[in-house]
Amino acid sequence: MNTLSYKTVSVNKETAQKEWVVIDATDQVVGRLCSKVAKILRGKYKPSFTPHVDCGDNVIIINASKVVFTGKKETDKVYTRYTGYPGGQRFNTPADLRTRKNGIDKIVRHAVKGMLPKGRLGRAVLDNLYVYEGTEHPHAAQQPKALDINTLK
C-alpha cells in the first residue's frame, strides 16, 4: 500500500475555490437561516475546509425584510449597543430596527457575526456577506448560483 497517497489538503488564500451564492430569505427563521449562512461563509460544506483560512463562499441574501422570528422575539428580544458616552446605552427590538434604514441588515449581520470565529478571520469572513431587503442585487456580473437553504443541514 502506498502511504503517500493519503495526503491532507490544506487550502490557502490563493487556492481557495470561492463561489457566489444567492439565498432567498423569504419566510426563513432568522437564527436557522444565519447558522447555515455562517457555515457557507466559513466553507464548512466544502471537502477542502481549512479552519484557519477564509475558504468559504460569498453569500448574497435577498428578501431579507421577509425573515421571521419565532415566538415573541420580534417584540421581546433586545439588542444593546453603547455610544461610548456616559449614559449612552441604547436598546432596540427587532420591530424597532425593521422600521429603520439598514435595520434588517443589522439584524442579520448581528446573528451571523455571533456564529463566526472571533478575531481577524471572523471579521474577514463577514465581509463576504451581502444583505439586501428586496429581490434586486448589484452582483449579477459574478453569476451567483441560487441555493435553496432548506436542503442544507
Side-chain angles (χ1 to χ4, degrees):
M1 183 171 131
N2 185 4
T3 58
L4 295 178
S5 65
Y6 300 103
K7 290 192 175 187
T8 302
V9 177
S10 186
V11 177
N12 60 20
K13 191 175 183 179
E14 288 77 29
T15 61
Q17 298 291 323
K18 296 177 76 71
E19 297 176 351
W20 286 77
V21 295
V22 173
I23 295 173
D24 188 3
T26 305
D27 297 329
Q28 296 288 328
V29 178
V30 175
R32 294 172 191 175
L33 168 77
C34 291
S35 65
K36 292 175 184 176
V37 167
K39 276 185 167 183
I40 295 168
L41 286 170
R42 193 76 206 282
K44 288 217 167 186
Y45 289 113
K46 294 184 175 185
S48 61
F49 170 67
T50 307
H52 63 280
V53 178
D54 175 12
C55 57
D57 295 333
N58 296 298
V59 177
I60 304 164
I61 298 178
I62 58 172
N63 292 322
S65 59
K66 297 179 183 175
V67 294
V68 295
F69 284 91
T70 56
K72 296 192 292 181
K73 291 188 196 88
E74 187 77 34
T75 55
D76 292 357
K77 182 176 175 69
V78 176
Y79 293 108
T80 306
R81 61 188 175 88
Y82 180 60
T83 63
Y85 289 96
Q89 201 171 22
R90 303 289 186 254
F91 306 99
N92 292 105
T93 63
D96 294 338
L97 286 176
R98 280 188 194 271
T99 62
R100 294 190 177 177
K101 183 180 177 188
N102 294 335
I104 294 294
D105 181 65
K106 288 181 177 147
I107 289 172
V108 173
R109 279 189 187 279
H110 184 270
V112 172
K113 182 181 177 184
M115 299 172 193
L116 290 175
K118 312 308 182 250
R120 259 191 286 184
L121 179 63
R123 288 190 296 273
V125 168
L126 193 62
D127 288 340
N128 297 329
L129 177 65
Y130 303 89
V131 182
Y132 299 101
E133 293 188 21
T135 57
E136 300 298 318
H137 63 83
H139 305 286
Q142 280 76 22
Q143 299 170 345
K145 296 187 306 185
L147 182 66
D148 184 16
I149 200 76
N150 296 322
T151 60
L152 299 175
K153 275 197 164 188

